[in-house]
Structures are given as C-alpha cells and as structure tokens.
Amino acid sequence: MTDASHMLSDFASFLISLFALWVARRPATQKMSFGYYRAEVMGAICSVLIIWVLTGVLVYLAIERMISMNFTIEADTMLITALAAKKEEGAARGRSCQRKKLPEEEAARGRSCQRNPSGAAAHRRLVLLCLDC
C-alpha cells in the first residue's frame, strides 16, 4: 500500500508541476502584470502538501496496525531482502576498493577496504534472528 500511494503521489506531483509550468507560460495581462509565475510556487506547495498528507496518513495507519497487532511478519521475505542488501553492500565496498588509489589517498583511508568483522557478526545475528522466527 505504501509503495502504491508513493507512486500515486509522485505521479500527481508530476502532473501538478506540468500544469503549473503550462499556466506560468501564459502572458501577462492587465490584472496580472507580472504574469502567472506564481503558479510554479503554488504547484510546488501543492506537491509538498501532498507528500506531507500522505506521510501523515501512512504513519497513522502504521501506528494503528501496531496497536491492534494486525500485521504479519514474513520472515522468508525479510531474510532474502536482508541477504541481498548485505551482498550488494559487499559488492559496493569491493568496487570502491578496486579503483586505483593515489598514495596519499591510500594512507588516508587506512584499512577501510578490509572486511569489517562487526558487519560479519551482525550478518550472523540477522540470519539467526530470522531463522528463529
């Protein structure tokens, strides 16, 4: 539900900005001597307002679900997502360490490209926690 509402708010914001740009291109009139450039500001305010209202509704629904204990935990999905994120983190660290470093840059980084033992321990705890579910 959150992803769908987020995509809907993005689409609505995009349409609002296109409409605001279209209105802002209108020429100045006797009554609106500076033109319709304020439409862009009003469109931006509407877009931000949509996001804040959506955030408030989603937070309210999340709190309501937590209070009523009306949710399910899908441990398999959580485990797969966590393992994929951990694998991507390791791949990203490997990519950043593979580029050629300047001597002063290498000295400044120190041992940051080596494996992080606390990260490995956290990974083991995550797997055990998910298996316990």
Side-chain angles (χ1 to χ4, degrees), residues 95-113:
R95 285 191 299 267
S96 68
C97 292
Q98 288 175 354
R99 72 177 180 85
K100 188 169 180 143
K101 299 178 199 75
L102 300 172
E104 63 272 5
E105 188 180 348
E106 196 168 317
R109 282 189 98 169
R111 302 172 59 178
S112 65
C113 288

Side-chain angles (χ1 to χ4, degrees), residues 13-39:
S13 297
F14 182 70
L15 289 179
I16 288 170
S17 66
L18 285 177
F19 179 73
L21 288 173
W22 177 74
V23 170
R25 293 186 69 197
R26 295 179 68 189
T29 63
Q30 191 74 4
K31 188 175 181 182
M32 302 284 279
S33 59
F34 289 103
Y36 290 87
Y37 291 110
R38 290 187 188 138

Side-chain angles (χ1 to χ4, degrees), residues 26-100:
R26 295 179 68 189
T29 63
Q30 191 74 4
K31 188 175 181 182
M32 302 284 279
S33 59
F34 289 103
Y36 290 87
Y37 291 110
R38 290 187 188 138
E40 294 175 353
V41 175
M42 295 302 289
I45 289 172
C46 287
S47 295
V48 170
L49 188 62
I50 287 172
I51 294 206
W52 277 106
V53 167
L54 176 67
T55 301
V57 168
L58 291 177
V59 167
Y60 172 77
L61 290 174
I63 291 172
E64 188 178 77
R65 286 177 61 190
M66 288 185 345
I67 290 172
S68 67
M69 300 295 281
N70 184 17
F71 58 89
T72 58
I73 298 175
E74 297 180 19
D76 294 337
T77 306
M78 290 174 60
L79 179 63
I80 291 169
T81 304
L83 291 176
K86 185 67 179 166
K87 182 177 179 181
E88 178 56 34
E89 175 193 357
R93 180 177 292 134
R95 285 191 299 267
S96 68
C97 292
Q98 288 175 354
R99 72 177 180 85
K100 188 169 180 143

